[in-house]
Amino acid sequence: MDCKYICITGGIGSGKSVVSKIIQALGLQVYDCDSKAKHLMNNSIVIKSRIYNEISHEAVEIKSNGQWGKIKRGVLSEIVFNSKEYLKKLNEITHGTVREDIICWGSSHQSNLPLFIETAIPFSSGIDKISDIIWAVEAPLEVRINRTIKRDGSDRNKVLSRIQSQSDEINCLNNCTSIPIYSIYNDGEIAVLPQILNTLHSIGIL
């Protein structure tokens, strides 16, 4: 199967980062949307200028030399928390910049091997639109809860709230018919590596 981008996704605590690390250990490239988005928020002039011009002048520092400073995250969070319109605009700015960065990253790789994109929100971010295949990483609910509590130190109710907040993404994934979807089961009992190798083989890689 010819493909350029394979999206690795799954709900919080599903273990998609473990799948990504195995993929990287196999010599394949993975773009981590979460860490890249944070980097872009800190460094992208495009993001800072658009937040300044389209959301609020108060949300971005301007240095004495006229250059862009830091995004004032507390100010920005308060603005978008109280306005669905501005929250939608911030997501549009951030997700659009991330997609552009993925395309730029992808164009720098000349290999015929596919590139992987790890994201928890492929549909709301529009990354599904540039993906050829989706790998859905799955795990039982209690496993996901316990993993997240152990990793983040969150209490059970907060973890359940975060899981619920991702329900729209999961619904989109379950109802998606436009992209081939392959499941990777990561419950901590069934070995993940053989599943990954079998899936790569089934799509003509390795």
Side-chain angles (χ1 to χ4, degrees):
M1 179 184 296
D2 292 330
C3 63
K4 176 70 172 180
Y5 295 114
I6 296 176
C7 175
I8 301 172
T9 193
I12 183 172
S14 61
K16 58 186 175 295
S17 293
V18 170
V19 172
S20 292
K21 288 176 182 177
I22 294 173
I23 289 295
Q24 289 174 309
L26 293 172
L28 299 165
Q29 301 295 315
V30 179
Y31 184 105
D32 179 0
C33 287
D34 188 44
S35 63
K36 291 291 187 179
K38 291 175 182 176
H39 174 79
L40 289 169
M41 285 286 286
N42 289 330
N43 297 282
S44 170
I45 293 174
V46 171
I47 288 180
K48 291 178 181 179
S49 63
R50 289 194 63 186
I51 289 173
Y52 182 87
N53 290 308
E54 299 176 37
I55 296 180
S56 172
H57 289 4
E58 302 300 319
V60 185
E61 292 179 354
I62 302 294
K63 296 181 180 179
S64 58
N65 61 5
Q67 294 185 348
W68 297 108
K70 295 179 180 179
I71 293 173
K72 300 177 184 178
R73 294 182 181 274
V75 174
L76 181 61
S77 295
E78 185 174 355
I79 292 170
V80 300
F81 180 77
N82 291 295
S83 170
K84 290 184 179 179
E85 179 184 350
Y86 282 135
L87 176 59
K88 182 179 179 181
K89 176 58 68 175
L90 178 61
N91 286 334
E92 174 191 313
I93 292 168
T94 306
H95 297 328
T97 305
V98 169
R99 287 196 307 272
E100 290 173 4
D101 194 56
I102 290 171
I103 299 301
C104 182
W105 170 76
S107 66
S108 70
H109 291 80
Q110 302 303 317
S111 171
N112 291 327
L113 294 173
L115 301 170
F116 289 78
I117 305 167
E118 180 189 337
T119 178
I121 50 171
F123 298 96
S124 60
S125 66
I127 287 172
D128 64 305
K129 299 295 191 298
I130 63 173
S131 299
D132 301 292
I133 295 173
I134 290 178
W135 284 17
V137 185
E138 303 171 355
L141 179 60
E142 284 302 317
V143 171
R144 294 171 58 196
I145 292 170
N146 291 332
R147 279 176 180 163
T148 307
I149 290 173
K150 183 177 180 180
R151 184 190 68 197
D152 299 343
S154 300
D155 63 45
R156 183 182 179 87
N157 288 335
K158 287 183 179 178
V159 175
L160 285 170
S161 178
R162 291 173 68 185
I163 289 173
Q164 181 59 35
S165 72
Q166 296 179 334
S167 60
D168 287 347
E169 284 290 330
I170 300 301
N171 288 336
C172 287
L173 181 63
N174 290 336
N175 293 307
C176 179
T177 58
S178 59
I179 311 171
I181 298 175
Y182 295 81
S183 294
I184 303 291
Y185 198 66
N186 188 5
D187 64 348
E189 299 292 334
I190 301 173
V192 174
L193 178 58
Q195 296 181 68
I196 291 174
L197 293 175
N198 288 337
T199 305
L200 288 171
H201 180 71
S202 70
I203 60 178
I205 305 164
L206 300 184

